[in-house]
Amino acid sequence: MTDTTSTYSGPELVFSGVQPTGNLHLGNYLGALVKFVRLQETHNCVFSVVDLHAMTIPQEPGALKANTRQIAAAFLAAGVDPDKAVIFAQSAVPAHVELCWYFNCVARMGWLERMTQFKEKAGKDKERASVGLFDYPVLQAADILAYKATHVPVGEDQKQHLELSRDIADRFNREYDVPDFFPQPEPLIQGPGARIMSLKDGTKKMSKSDPSDLSRINLTDDADTMARKIKKAKTDPEPLPDTVDGLKGRPEAENLVGIYAALANCTSEDVINQFGGQGFGAFKPALAEVVVEGLSPVTKSFNEWLADPTAIDAVLAAGAEKASAIAQPVMEEVRDIIGLWKKG
Ligand code: TYM
């Protein structure tokens, strides 16, 4: 959106969320967690395990709770530090649900009908999809704006949802004539990890819901499994090109080079300079090494955290208090702006 009325000049704050819907994979790690760890050094950061979003597809209650702890453990294992950033479960802070309702009355059906993620998840029979699934991006806007977050680190698949958050913020500010109230949250997408593709099909994103486990590297995979998955990754028969341009039209090669670059903290150009002209027989073992080296410490720490659910719960409880303390004054202002009844 270019034509915004927001003149927001409040402090910068980073917010992001990850759903507790099964194992995290390399895409989640590079598209989100690595950025969280970097941003906590420079910004006030609030990171949420968004269990209310997970409910938009049926969840078994015991599994939902365990998965929420798992994602919190993954944040911690990746290096998110609870002394530097707020880590909490979305359902522990009622402001998300409350602001979602207010935004439901601001957002337009047509905006939500255009959301590609809803179309994909609802499939052919959208009449039978839950209202929650349809409303998913409005709750996401509420997550971000309950903290007046200005920056949102996410993978590329979340771009459209972020645009909707900006539209909702803008519409609220206009409708209630409070041009400087909500910021226009900026997605932080760039970088080689923004769109990690399936190891079995370079045109599809790496995803928790892909039926083939060989399509993704899970944070729970051991070193041998990771190396085996890289070895079995789909490739084309050509050697790696001599220039980055030569990766165009070769989605699998481009993806593997991107994964190497993201984990080795270099550019695709650097990778091509080193491996251009070599076949995958030479490149894949080097990539497997970088993947194992990059993820093994995370996997180890992840398992240590998982073995101590009490410690995870303590982090989540302290985080929920800190998150509430940020969201509460925002919500009081919102209620006042809308004109909702207030006691006393
Ligand atoms: P979720 O749980 O599906 O994914 C968590 C994060 O991982 C990123 N991601 C990827 N990045 C690169 N390559 C991939 N293949 C890949 N797959 C997933 C996602 O972009 C995301 O950053 N709607 C969000 C959760 C959410 C949220 C929010 C995010 C709820 N409220 C508020 C930001 C702000 C989601 O589905 O994430």
Side-chain angles (χ1 to χ4, degrees), residues 24 55 94 112-113 117 137 139 166 182 214 265 268-269 303:
L24 287 191
M55 282 178 63
L112 295 182
E113 266 157 9
Q117 188 169 301
L139 180 59
R166 293 165 67 86
F182 281 125
L214 287 175
N265 212 2
S268 294
E269 230 152 51
N303 288 324

Side-chain angles (χ1 to χ4, degrees), residues 141-161:
D143 295 341
I144 297 165
L145 293 164
Y147 302 89
K148 292 193 172 179
T150 52
H151 294 86
V152 185
V154 279
E156 203 174 84
D157 60 339
Q158 294 301 307
K159 200 171 166 193
Q160 198 185 33
H161 285 167

Side-chain angles (χ1 to χ4, degrees), residues 217-232:
I217 307 270
N218 302 304
L219 289 194
T220 45
D221 288 341
D222 59 29
D224 286 350
T225 308
M226 288 181 193
R228 188 168 49 86
K229 286 178 174 176
I230 298 288
K231 197 170 167 206
K232 291 195 163 182

